[in-house]
Amino acid sequence: MYETIEYVVANNVCTILLNRPDSLNAFTADMNREITKAIKQAEKDSNVRCIVIKGAGKGFCSGQDLSVVDESMDHGEVLTTLYGPMMKQIYNCEKPIVAGVHGAAAGAGFSLALACDFRIMAEKSFFLNAFVHVGLIPDSGNLYFLKQLVGNAKALEISVLGERILPHDALVLGLATKVVANDKFDEEVALFAENIANLPTKAISLMKRTLRAAEELPFEEFLAYEAQGQRIAGLTRDHREGVQAFTEKRKPIFVGE
């Protein structure tokens, strides 16, 4: 079904593995399209309650494959037709998405990690806004997400200086959720994702919707939106289970409904 990625579902977690290790999983048009398709597939699958994006080989993703770039390329058109749809699919996905980052997450690979809800970094990994080194601006939603995470001044600093951000610095900045040992990277990413998958999935989707609304709505309208979201959450099976488990002094068993 896929040629540039692998798609696996286990324990309610869908793992999307970028699978072009010889190029450090650099993006091609086919990879852009396949990631878009895979996210859409995972979102429709009721057995999937969390999505993980990882890279095969020595790195997460080195950004655009420069071997297919030439001077006649319209970069805006590439973004509009390939990267835009991919990033919109990720942004609008209501299921939680975890980026498992080892090695390089550079350029559009950094953008991909930023678009995810959580970023687990191996000790030997780094983020890099590499665009300045080839005379371009950060793209694929990079500055949108970066500004939200670190603010205007730091986003500009990261982008203009174009220096590596190592895991523990990323943790301090709020770019990383967690830093894990290299030899336990796969195990830790899987454990983190499975823990997220065992949470009330509908509530998480409502949280993501409500956070997006907070970016756009005036406060009074936001409060009304929030109330409607809580109304929906209060009718879920998982809410009833959470209340019952609290009453019975036991750990809740959520089913994602």
Side-chain angles (χ1 to χ4, degrees):
M1 183 181 295
Y2 296 107
E3 294 183 358
T4 66
I5 67 173
E6 291 183 4
Y7 182 100
V8 177
V9 177
N11 300 322
N12 296 122
V13 175
C14 168
T15 300
I16 298 170
L17 183 72
L18 312 184
N19 195 25
R20 301 187 69 237
D22 291 344
S23 65
L24 290 178
N25 302 309
F27 284 114
T28 62
D30 285 342
M31 181 180 279
N32 290 134
R33 294 188 189 101
E34 290 191 350
I35 292 172
T36 305
K37 181 179 177 181
I39 296 292
K40 188 179 298 185
Q41 180 179 345
E43 188 163 28
K44 290 179 178 178
D45 187 346
S46 61
N47 292 316
V48 173
R49 294 171 60 187
C50 183
I51 300 167
V52 172
I53 301 177
K54 295 170 60 178
K58 296 181 179 180
F60 177 70
C61 177
S62 58
Q64 171 65 36
D65 189 336
L66 297 180
S67 70
V68 299
V69 174
D70 60 57
E71 293 182 2
S72 66
M73 176 179 286
D74 183 335
H75 295 291
E77 181 66 18
V78 171
L79 288 174
T80 300
T81 59
L82 296 173
Y83 285 91
M86 178 182 74
M87 301 308 286
K88 288 176 187 176
Q89 193 67 48
I90 293 170
Y91 177 77
N92 289 320
C93 180
E94 296 199 344
K95 294 181 179 179
I97 305 178
V98 179
V101 179
H102 73 292
F110 183 26
S111 304
L112 176 62
L114 289 172
C116 296
D117 302 305
F118 307 96
R119 285 156 294 280
I120 310 300
M121 297 183 74
E123 287 180 335
K124 289 186 178 180
S125 65
F126 62 89
F127 293 136
L128 175 64
N129 245 358
F131 300 92
V132 70
H133 300 305
V134 290
L136 295 174
I137 68 171
D139 62 30
S140 307
N142 187 290
L143 291 177
Y144 180 89
F145 297 113
L146 195 56
K147 174 186 175 178
Q148 288 184 330
L149 291 167
V150 301
N152 275 1
K154 200 65 179 181
L156 185 62
E157 177 187 318
I158 289 169
S159 303
V160 171
L161 298 182
E163 298 172 344
R164 292 185 178 190
I165 304 171
L166 300 179
H168 290 286
D169 292 328
L171 196 61
V172 171
L173 287 169
L175 294 174
T177 306
K178 187 176 183 180
V179 176
V180 301
N182 292 317
D183 60 354
K184 293 187 177 179
F185 173 71
D186 289 328
E187 175 186 343
E188 290 282 356
V189 171
L191 180 61
F192 184 89
E194 287 171 15
N195 285 340
I196 296 293
N198 286 327
L199 294 174
T201 312
K202 186 64 177 179
I204 294 173
S205 74
L206 290 165
M207 289 177 197
K208 293 182 68 170
R209 284 190 209 174
T210 306
L211 281 167
R212 288 197 293 269
E215 298 166 11
E216 303 167 357
L217 298 178
F219 185 59
E220 289 187 6
E221 291 181 32
F222 172 79
L223 289 177
Y225 188 96
E226 173 191 74
Q228 177 60 14
Q230 194 71 301
R231 181 175 293 112
I232 295 169
L235 296 173
T236 61
R237 180 176 170 184
D238 280 342
H239 169 61
R240 293 195 299 272
E241 164 62 11
V243 172
Q244 187 173 346
F246 179 81
T247 302
E248 297 174 356
K249 296 182 172 55
R250 60 173 175 81
K251 185 177 179 178
I253 301 173
F254 297 119
V255 295
E257 299 175 0

